[in-house]
């Protein structure tokens, strides 16, 4: 079996033109235009309308995109994100800088308790990973600015370790939105156990921007809002919420990405002569946590419902974030090949062989350029040359999807059809930093 069968498949599809001229310089220019278009002055929105605020991991990707042509603006993005940090160390998943009626739930529903109106949960902590990338692109320009946000990033990571670990050191999410993978089938079991009493009537805005078939269902949304209400009613007090919140899932996204980010932060601390005490022990704990997410029955990294002590039983794109965290397992290569042979564009968010796979519904099947990036760059770090080759092939596959179908929020992995929002910040960033053939190494 070929290592790169998935790229061969996509290149050889009968119904598509064999070779078409692609103007990569024009695509680079379009990606830069999108970043500037979504710039609201110091922070970037994911896309206008659907997401009109600053989102945490979108913003870290935006910084990386800006760094390709404006390093000062890249640092500004990270600084504006860290400006929303709570006293507890938590960095919120949304910062509501300026109210916008086109989004629900807004600042009043969330009632965040930080220096800037915000949501009350966090999001995958990729900021330190991108801060390292931005810093290494120009250490001289970045020295002071990196040093200024270093302690904040360390406190944020500590907050995860204090409030979000399970007994093994894996990181848990306490709301489906915290993992960034809102409606992935991993949450189906724990969400079913929630009875969303008192949620009442509310008006969703997402489905007026995007085809509802591409968005989470009402069943999911009722529970998302119920969990927001619970947090707000407890003033987002971490200790009280740990007692009261029935949703607590040990998650490969958070665990692998925090492990990656903590390694990156430690490398930055060493480069800048800043305190790194305790970080080796944190990393050892997170490594143990990451390994504990191995579901022996599935033979794959999986999410685990901590409250019910139940595996989700899902091979998802988050399972493949292992390489970036420095966790290798041969069985994951076999899963990767099996999954990629069933699709044409990108890593599907859910196993295409599963009966819960829906190719256009948000995190239940579509592929995401940012996840391709996180998986692909992780694979490129592998000690195994065959795994590294798969990482490179994934960059080329992502290039093909964006070149053919545009800077979409996500893609149907079977056809490449663009889905969700358009002119998307993080897709443009992934293009500029990784997928474009003009990227310099
Ligand atoms: C949304 O509104 O869909 C977001 O994913 C929440 O973060």
């Amino acid at each position: 079996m070929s290592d790169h069968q998935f790229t061969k498949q996509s290149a050889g599809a009968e119904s598509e033109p064999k070779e078409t001229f692609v103007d990569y310089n024009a695509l680079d220019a379009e990606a830069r235009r999108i970043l500037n278009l979504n710039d609201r002055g110091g922070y970037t929105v994911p896309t206008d309308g659907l997401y009109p605020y600053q989102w945490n991991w979108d913003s870290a990707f935006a910084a990386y995109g800006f760094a390709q042509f404006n390093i000062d603006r890249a640092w500004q993005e990270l600084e504006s994100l860290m400006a929303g940090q709570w006293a507890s160390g938590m960095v919120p998943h949304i910062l509501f800088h300026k109210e916008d009626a086109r989004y629900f739930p807004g600042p009043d529903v969330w009632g965040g308790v930080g220096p800037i109106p915000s949501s009350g949960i966090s999001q995958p902590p990729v900021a330190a990973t991108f801060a390292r990338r931005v810093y290494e692109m120009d250490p001289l320009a970045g020295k002071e600015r990196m040093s200024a946000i270093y302690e904040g990033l360390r406190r944020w990571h500590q907050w995860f370790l204090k409030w979000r670990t399970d007994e093994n050191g894996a990181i848990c999410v306490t709301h489906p939105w915290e993992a960034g993978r809102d409606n992935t089938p991993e949450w189906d079991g724990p969400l079913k156990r929630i009875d969303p009493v008192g949620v009442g009537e509310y008006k969703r805005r997402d489905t007026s921007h995007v085809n509802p078939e591409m968005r989470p269902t009402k069943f999911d949304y009722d529970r998302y809002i119920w969990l927001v209400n619970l947090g707000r009613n407890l003033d987002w007090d971490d200790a009280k919420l740990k007692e009261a919140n029935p949703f607590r899932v040990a998650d490969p996204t958070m665990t692998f990405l925090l492990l990656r980010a903590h390694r990156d932060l430690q490398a930055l601390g060493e480069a800048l002569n800043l305190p790194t005490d305790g970080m080796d022990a944190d990393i050892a704990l997170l490594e143990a946590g990451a390994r504990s997410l191995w579901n022996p029955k599935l033979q794959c990294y999986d999410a685990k419902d901590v409250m019910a002590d139940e595996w989700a039983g899902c091979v998802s794109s988050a399972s493949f974030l292992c390489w970036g965290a420095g966790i290798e397992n041969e069985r994951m290569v076999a899963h990767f090949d099996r999954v990629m042979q069933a699709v044409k564009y990108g890593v599907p968010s859910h196993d295409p062989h599963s009966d819960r796979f829906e190719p256009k519904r948000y995190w239940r099947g579509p592929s995401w350029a940012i996840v391709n990036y996180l998986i692909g760059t992780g694979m490129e770090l592998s000690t195994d040359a065959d795994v590294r080759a798969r990482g490179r092939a994934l960059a080329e596959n992502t290039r093909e999807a964006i070149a053919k179908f545009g800077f979409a929020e996500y893609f149907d992995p079977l056809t490449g059809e663009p889905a969700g929002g358009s002119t998307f910040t993080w897709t443009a960033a992934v293009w500029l930093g990784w997928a474009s053939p003009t990227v310099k190494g």
Side-chain angles (χ1 to χ4, degrees), residues 51 55 93 103 123 177 182 215 221 362:
Y51 305 113
W55 258 261
H93 105 291
Y103 184 79
Q123 231 179 3
W177 284 338
D182 306 16
R215 294 290 302 175
Y221 244 81
Y362 213 32

Side-chain angles (χ1 to χ4, degrees), residues 301-316:
Y301 294 109
D302 192 10
K304 191 177 201 178
D305 180 348
V306 171
M307 308 306 275
D309 194 22
E310 256 170 36
W311 290 108
C314 294
V315 176
S316 76

